[in-house]
Amino acid sequence: MLMALARTWAVALNGIAGHLVAVEADLAAGLPGTMVIGMGDAAVTQARDRVRAAVMNSGQKWPDRRITLALSPAALPKRGAGYDMALAVAVLAAAGVVPAATAGESVLIGELGLDGQVRPVRGVLPALLGARAMGREQAIVPAANLAEAALATGMTVWGVSSLRDLIASFKGEVQALIPGVAAQRQDDMGGPDLAEVLGQPEARLALEFAAAGGHHLAMIGPPGAGKTMLATRLPGVLPPLDDEQALEVTAVHSVAGMLDDDTPLVTRPPFINPHHSASLAAVVGGGSAHIRPGSVSQAHHGVLFLDEAAEFRPTVLDALRQPMESGAVLLARASGAVRYPARFQLILASNPCPCAAAKDIDCTCASGVRRRYLGRLSGPLMDRIDIRVDLAALDPMTLTTVGAVGESSSVVGDRVLLARDRSALRWKGTPWRTSAEVPGAVVRRSWRPDRREADLLDQAVRSGRLTGRGYDRVLRLALTAADLFGRERPSIADLATALALRCGEAL
Ligand SMILES: [Zn+2]
């Protein structure tokens, strides 16, 4: 009569990688009690009491047996409350309340309230992508996560609101499961437009280069020069995310709890701007109870904007170097390291000095203070930034007389797209798509400056304008110029433009 053993399926997340977890319930004679083995953090151990209350408040009896719940593989770290539904159903299937075969068909993800309501959890999309990769074809998730779950195409997904509904559906009494429908991709082209940025032709050009080549960019200038306005318009001139990137970014944002319930798929490059007082954990990722992806991962395949960059803690600025090199962050944990992707484009903005005067002539800072301020940004971090642009304060007079209405984001975005296509063609058959990604040695092999071009570069090095590391950056920028202007090979004019962009000089 009593089915003593039953198995359901759940998913463990490590970063955004999902691994299938088998949940087994064994009901044996002996002293009544419930034991959970193969579980990780405190939240999962507390699941025992939560699941028991949820089952009883859903009109079911908690088996008067010695219950062993086992999650395997045991070595896999299991975090969070997303296992509740799989645990509850395993017990109910072992007790013969629901058919064991039905209970084992679908991956079950969801947290249970004490009242038996199914609560949404983070990370549903990456969990399902992991389950799908391991051959699972069906899943049941919290109703509030259904739109996100439906992004796992090729899987049949249903949403459920309460354990009571789930039990009734499994028993065939009612059909209370909500079928998931894969949403059509909607590319939202809204957002702030470059046409609203007045003046600053050099900064606009720098932004276009940054977009076309994927270069990191630093903007130095007084308050009101338009640094933030420009930075916020970068995502609007970047190409939309391709399908694979969109899923990856959506997976990270799912784990970070940032998704829109109704239109979860992220199709535009994200724009993430942490405040300069942000902690190391907030920027890089971490946290004690829940491990959250930090700003660097939230900005994956998008833009990380640090306004007032010199005001950030030095430890935070230093911590950016590792993800800038590797495109990922590794967060050490007692239960093992957690990896999140973090391939972002960095945009720094800073005032030239702490007093932040609108005009240099009004600056009240001692010269040493002024020098040290930007010095906080210099060194290894600035070495990784290809473009530096110095913005002057906007003169309202010139603006009204020139009536400078700049090009719109769609015009600039079209040029960027063309340049990206040329760049992809240039690096066809390599792992790189933009010139910013290409290693220095490869850049130097890809084209050899002629005599005049070499002279220009040598002069810059001799005069101290350019460092050894900066040399490769200039070559990369020259390649981006060639891509933007539709040239196979950079011209000497492209090289001069690249040099000016690298050194923060007037064009
Ligand atoms: Zn000052």
Side-chain angles (χ1 to χ4, degrees):
M1 179 69 193
L2 186 71
M3 169 102 192
L5 184 77
R7 175 192 285 165
T8 58
W9 298 99
V11 183
L13 269 187
N14 182 295
I16 59 163
H19 302 278
L20 206 56
V21 170
V23 179
E24 284 174 319
D26 179 62
L27 272 52
L31 209 58
T34 307
M35 192 168 68
V36 186
I37 54 177
M39 285 194 142
D41 68 7
V44 201
T45 314
Q46 289 157 10
R48 182 184 56 187
D49 301 328
R50 205 166 46 235
V51 165
R52 189 182 138 107
V55 165
M56 291 168 67
N57 288 324
S58 301
Q60 301 298 326
K61 197 172 156 296
W62 187 254
D64 208 9
R65 294 260 169 165
R66 197 163 67 86
I67 303 171
T68 307
L69 287 161
L71 286 83
S72 57
L76 214 56
K78 302 171 195 73
R79 306 177 178 92
Y83 302 94
D84 289 2
M85 213 153 76
L87 289 165
V89 172
V91 170
L92 292 167
V97 174
V98 297
T102 312
E105 268 176 350
S106 298
V107 171
L108 303 171
I109 299 170
E111 178 179 347
L112 293 175
L114 297 178
D115 57 358
Q117 294 295 308
V118 177
R119 294 180 176 160
V121 294
R122 291 177 177 181
V124 165
L125 175 64
L128 293 190
L129 295 178
R132 188 181 70 181
M134 292 176 85
R136 306 307 299 187
E137 293 169 348
Q138 295 181 28
I140 301 174
V141 302
N145 294 127
L146 186 57
E148 175 189 346
L151 296 174
T153 51
M155 271 192 121
T156 306
V157 296
W158 293 277
V160 67
S161 308
S162 69
L163 184 58
R164 194 182 285 268
D165 282 353
L166 185 61
I167 295 167
S169 302
F170 275 174
K171 288 167 82 172
E173 294 170 357
V174 290
Q175 170 46 294
L177 300 182
I178 312 154
V181 180
Q184 289 298 310
R185 179 180 168 138
Q186 288 178 322
D187 283 348
D188 166 27
M189 299 315 265
D193 200 287
L194 263 179
E196 297 151 4
V197 178
L198 302 175
Q200 305 295 15
E202 284 166 11
R204 292 177 65 106
L205 185 72
L207 198 73
E208 186 168 335
F209 266 71
H215 303 283
H216 303 308
L217 164 70
M219 292 187 281
I220 314 295
K227 305 187 293 286
T228 303
M229 277 193 88
L230 284 157
T232 50
R233 282 153 182 79
L234 177 55
V237 297
L238 289 171
L241 302 177
D242 65 29
D243 288 349
E244 192 183 327
Q245 291 172 331
L247 274 187
E248 231 175 79
V249 174
T250 305
V252 176
H253 287 203
S254 167
V255 176
M258 298 163 66
L259 291 186
D260 184 303
D261 282 352
D262 299 323
T263 52
L265 187 66
V266 181
T267 57
R268 300 288 315 172
F271 180 84
I272 305 293
N273 54 338
H275 189 257
H276 60 74
S277 64
S279 68
L280 186 63
V283 174
V284 176
S288 45
H290 281 282
I291 306 170
R292 280 195 79 202
S295 306
V296 295
S297 296
Q298 295 165 21
H300 183 53
H301 290 316
V303 177
L304 180 68
F305 177 49
L306 303 187
D307 197 9
E308 318 241 22
E311 305 281 351
F312 276 77
R313 292 160 211 217
T315 49
V316 170
L317 295 175
D318 280 347
L320 297 177
R321 283 158 52 193
Q322 188 250 324
M324 285 170 83
E325 290 287 312
S326 65
V329 281
L330 272 179
L331 306 170
R333 277 292 170 278
S335 54
V338 174
R339 181 186 181 278
Y340 287 116
R343 192 168 296 288
F344 55 85
Q345 189 170 0
L346 182 66
I347 309 295
L348 298 181
S350 179
N351 298 319
C353 67
C355 85
K359 290 211 170 77
D360 274 358
I361 197 164
D362 300 324
C363 173
T364 55
C365 302
S367 69
V369 170
R370 213 178 141 87
R371 205 171 48 244
R372 274 197 304 278
Y373 189 68
L374 282 184
R376 300 174 69 172
L377 288 178
S378 74
L381 184 62
M382 284 304 269
D383 261 347
R384 288 171 172 78
I385 290 175
D386 292 351
I387 308 176
R388 171 179 167 156
V389 61
D390 288 349
L391 288 84
L394 280 178
D395 184 345
M397 284 304 287
T398 48
L399 285 180
T400 46
T401 51
V402 180
V405 170
E407 284 176 311
S408 69
S409 291
S410 75
V411 172
V412 177
D414 285 348
R415 277 200 302 269
V416 167
L417 202 58
L418 267 176
R420 288 268 182 143
D421 286 347
R422 291 195 194 101
S423 175
L425 201 62
R426 186 187 293 282
W427 302 111
K428 202 174 170 196
T430 77
W432 312 293
R433 289 201 275 184
T434 57
S435 27
E437 296 170 303
V438 182
V442 178
V443 171
R444 269 172 270 139
R445 269 203 310 273
S446 71
W447 63 285
R448 192 172 295 280
D450 67 20
R451 185 62 189 272
R452 273 194 321 146
E453 292 159 353
D455 281 350
L456 187 67
L457 288 165
D458 286 348
Q459 235 169 45
V461 172
R462 270 200 308 276
S463 66
R465 279 168 79 198
L466 200 57
T467 62
R469 203 164 195 156
Y471 190 92
D472 289 345
R473 310 246 159 225
V474 169
L475 298 188
R476 283 195 189 88
L477 281 168
L479 285 170
T480 298
D483 289 335
L484 268 172
F485 301 125
R487 288 192 261 275
E488 177 72 21
R489 184 189 187 286
S491 68
I492 189 156
D494 293 339
L495 202 59
T497 306
L499 205 51
L501 283 170
R502 167 67 195 173
C503 304
E505 290 159 5
L507 294 166

